[in-house]
Amino acid sequence: MSAAPQQLSETTSQMFASMDHARSQTATTPTTGSSVSTLVAYTIAIPSTVALVISGYLAYATFTMSDVAGCGGGSIFDCGHVLHSKWSKAAGIPVSVFAFFTHAALIGSLFATISQGVGNLTRTLATYVVLVAAIAASLAALYFISLQVFVLKHLCSYCMAAHACGLIVGAMAVWKLPVSIGRKKALAAVSLAGIAVLASIQISSAEPPKFKIDTFIPVETEQSEDDGGTFESPGEASDDLFSAPSESDEADIFAAPLPDGASTGPKRNHSVKFPGQGLALLSMMSGQSFAFPSNALLVPATANAAQDQQSANGSSTTSGSSSKPKQKPPATSKNARLVPMNGGSIKLKSTDWPLIGSPDAKHIFIEMFDYTCEHCRATNAAIEVAKQKLGKDLAVVALPVPMNVACNPLIKTSMPAHAESCELSRLAIAVWRLAPEKFGDFHQWMFQGETAPSYDQALAKAGELVGSDDLNQELAKTVCSQYVERNVELYKRAGGGPIPKMVFKQTTIVGEFTSGDSLIDLIKQYTTE
């Protein structure tokens, strides 16, 4: 009889020992089918949702070729530089699209883990999906942050915000999800393999072009009866000129500036006349069509018949400082060329605008740029190669267009890199007006080095070339500011948006262009259209 109690005692001890062991295992190794706490789920879901929204916006900006708001042009933060690099896509698909669907899958699976009506198997699989997506987001964040810091040397603020969310999501998932350590390691290997495939595709991809080619095609538009605007077509299309500013009503086709000391910008009486034929902008690379203004041309409405005749004949008698006449190339019909843009609806007389090269060169096109623009600096190197190989057969109408809201109303936010772009543009125009033959040297000096010189450095260099006294007198006038205003107006008529722009009669090359040899082929093709 004594053996029975002893056996019962041993059985009870073994049962309690088994229960203690089970509790110990449960404490150290969570059951895969266990529910995720609501607090943990929302802690992971909130940063993942932020990353989802950011990724969706970046994908939208990429597909629509629109600018990313509030991030671009800085020496450090430049979303455009990052989002147009080879690292922004994999197999032709923006990486923001992969990020968007990763976080979408994560959020959807996460809420499945806290739903009451979900079975253990479904909850387990959903937990695995959350963990794989979260670890992939954190590994992708480390990968792309490294690329921005060490390879691109520019940061995208939106991308960095999304990456920060990815790191938070990954850390919380690994720390809090009820999955055993062994299985977490296995799922992490799956995430790592996915990021490795993404990286290998990007590394093997060629550098994408940083430019697009836009072509202007005629479209039918309704004739406007409104005469209260700012432009008027002066006559037949073959004689239409986009007039440059001048210092006197009787000088040439330049419009008269305000007297010295008055506010900058010509306040002349103008009217609008829209012909029955306008233009549409067709992006050859995107395949999308964009509306474009009609071919109304900028000329002073107060110009009389004698001035129109002077414009047609190309006469010019502008004056410089009181002590030294301003040197300008003679605007005679023999050497003046009409440089067309917007399908020929706008024409610039080559001798009336900053020109590098001969006014009667075989090939002439218009360049719109900013001395503080990094992409313009790279494009200038390609233009220099073309000039060296084509020699006297190539000339460039060089129009500085500042990317600064202070003198360019089309710019919504000025980046720190463009802080002095207005002053540098006016300075370059002053050098051209005082000594056209030295403008090319000054222009090229401005593009030396990786960044633009400061205004003080550029002012000192300009003073060496044209003389400090004459330069100061020229800068004190309003005409240089008026040239900048006209350049901005031409930039607007060319569609605005990114620079540099190399503008031909029917075609505009927009963005960074780095191949000099390829540019030569395009110059020959587009200047014979």
Side-chain angles (χ1 to χ4, degrees):
M1 295 292 295
S2 61
Q6 183 177 0
Q7 184 177 6
L8 178 62
S9 176
E10 291 177 355
T11 303
T12 303
S13 298
Q14 291 175 358
M15 181 181 68
F16 279 110
S18 299
M19 293 174 64
D20 290 340
H21 178 72
R23 282 196 297 268
S24 175
Q25 288 293 101
T26 303
T28 56
T29 307
T31 302
T32 302
S34 300
S35 298
V36 178
S37 71
T38 302
L39 178 61
V40 171
Y42 279 99
T43 303
I44 296 174
I46 291 174
S48 183
T49 301
V50 173
L52 176 76
V53 173
I54 294 174
S55 301
Y57 171 65
L58 294 178
Y60 167 81
T62 301
F63 285 125
T64 60
M65 301 178 66
S66 57
D67 295 332
V68 177
C71 180
S75 57
I76 297 178
F77 287 94
D78 188 347
C79 292
H81 184 87
V82 175
L83 297 176
H84 290 91
S85 69
K86 65 177 288 186
W87 309 105
S88 66
K89 294 183 178 181
I93 302 173
V95 294
S96 54
V97 173
F98 294 109
F100 179 86
F101 285 107
T102 297
H103 286 284
L106 188 154
I107 295 170
S109 300
L110 188 62
F111 282 100
T113 65
I114 61 175
S115 298
Q116 296 298 323
V118 175
N120 285 342
L121 178 60
T122 303
R123 182 178 291 111
T124 298
L125 294 177
T127 303
Y128 289 168
V129 172
V130 171
L131 193 58
V132 170
I135 295 176
S138 61
L139 291 176
L142 295 174
Y143 169 62
F144 286 112
I145 289 174
S146 300
L147 285 175
Q148 291 177 63
V149 173
F150 300 110
V151 178
L152 297 173
K153 301 187 185 326
H154 287 83
L155 303 178
C156 167
S157 56
Y158 288 90
C159 306
M160 296 298 287
H163 297 331
C165 292
L167 291 173
I168 294 173
V169 166
M172 288 298 301
V174 172
W175 181 29
K176 290 294 186 180
L177 289 185
V179 179
S180 66
I181 299 299
R183 287 179 179 171
K184 284 180 180 179
K185 291 180 179 179
L187 295 173
V190 174
S191 302
L192 181 61
I195 299 302
V197 171
L198 174 70
S200 63
I201 292 174
Q202 291 188 313
I203 292 172
S204 61
S205 300
E207 191 73 31
K210 299 180 180 179
F211 65 91
K212 65 175 182 175
I213 299 178
D214 295 333
T215 298
F216 296 91
I217 58 175
V219 296
E220 292 298 325
T221 60
E222 294 183 2
Q223 176 137 357
S224 172
E225 300 296 334
D226 182 12
D227 292 333
T230 57
F231 307 107
E232 180 181 16
S233 178
E236 305 236 353
S238 59
D239 297 326
D240 288 347
L241 296 175
F242 193 100
S243 63
S246 73
E247 297 177 291
S248 113
D249 283 336
E250 297 152 359
D252 53 16
I253 64 169
F254 285 12
L258 292 176
D260 292 344
S263 61
T264 59
K267 295 184 179 179
R268 292 178 293 276
N269 198 8
H270 296 85
S271 61
V272 170
K273 181 178 180 182
F274 293 99
Q277 186 176 18
L279 294 172
L281 178 60
L282 174 66
S283 172
M284 296 176 64
M285 296 190 68
S286 66
Q288 298 175 338
S289 296
F290 304 88
F292 196 79
S294 68
N295 59 345
L297 307 178
L298 179 60
V299 294
T302 56
N304 55 32
Q307 290 173 318
D308 292 338
Q309 185 61 39
Q310 284 182 328
S311 299
N313 294 336
S315 60
S316 175
T317 60
T318 58
S319 61
S321 65
S322 58
S323 59
K324 178 181 177 181
K326 178 175 64 66
Q327 301 178 17
K328 286 203 67 178
T332 64
S333 59
K334 181 179 179 180
N335 65 0
R337 283 274 302 279
L338 297 183
V339 186
M341 61 177 283
N342 288 16
S345 64
I346 297 177
K347 298 181 179 69
L348 277 64
K349 188 185 295 183
S350 61
T351 52
D352 288 352
W353 301 85
L355 183 71
I356 301 174
S358 172
D360 56 356
K362 181 179 180 180
H363 306 289
I364 302 182
F365 68 91
I366 302 165
E367 181 194 11
M368 299 180 184
F369 61 91
D370 183 337
Y371 286 114
T372 62
C373 160
E374 177 183 3
H375 303 296
C376 303
R377 193 165 295 275
T379 299
N380 179 74
I383 294 176
E384 280 301 303
V385 172
K387 286 196 294 187
Q388 292 173 5
K389 294 189 176 183
L390 293 177
K392 295 182 179 179
D393 286 341
L394 177 63
V396 180
V397 178
L399 304 182
V401 179
M403 296 289 103
N404 190 314
V405 68
C407 56
N408 187 343
L410 299 181
I411 304 302
K412 303 305 180 184
T413 304
S414 298
M415 295 295 112
H418 305 314
E420 295 184 317
S421 59
C422 296
E423 292 80 2
L424 292 173
S425 297
R426 287 191 286 263
L427 181 61
I429 291 169
V431 171
W432 164 71
R433 283 174 52 79
L434 290 170
E437 72 282 357
K438 297 180 180 179
F439 172 65
D441 293 337
F442 179 76
H443 177 82
Q444 193 55 32
W445 179 85
M446 289 287 289
F447 276 120
Q448 290 179 356
E450 295 183 358
T451 59
S454 68
Y455 178 72
D456 290 338
Q457 293 172 327
L459 184 64
K461 178 65 175 180
E464 294 176 5
L465 293 174
V466 300
S468 297
D469 292 340
D470 289 333
L471 182 62
N472 291 332
Q473 291 181 31
E474 187 68 25
L475 290 172
K477 302 172 185 177
T478 60
V479 66
C480 293
S481 295
Q482 292 174 20
Y483 262 101
V484 171
E485 291 176 1
R486 292 293 182 86
N487 292 353
V488 169
E489 179 59 34
L490 280 169
Y491 162 73
K492 176 182 179 181
R493 301 288 292 278
I499 58 170
K501 294 179 183 290
M502 291 182 284
V503 186
F504 302 85
K505 180 179 179 180
Q506 298 283 356
T507 308
T508 300
I509 303 174
V510 182
E512 181 178 319
F513 200 103
T514 56
S515 173
D517 292 332
S518 297
L519 180 58
I520 291 173
D521 294 336
L522 293 179
I523 289 172
K524 292 179 178 179
Q525 175 184 349
Y526 295 148
T527 55
T528 57
E529 292 176 332

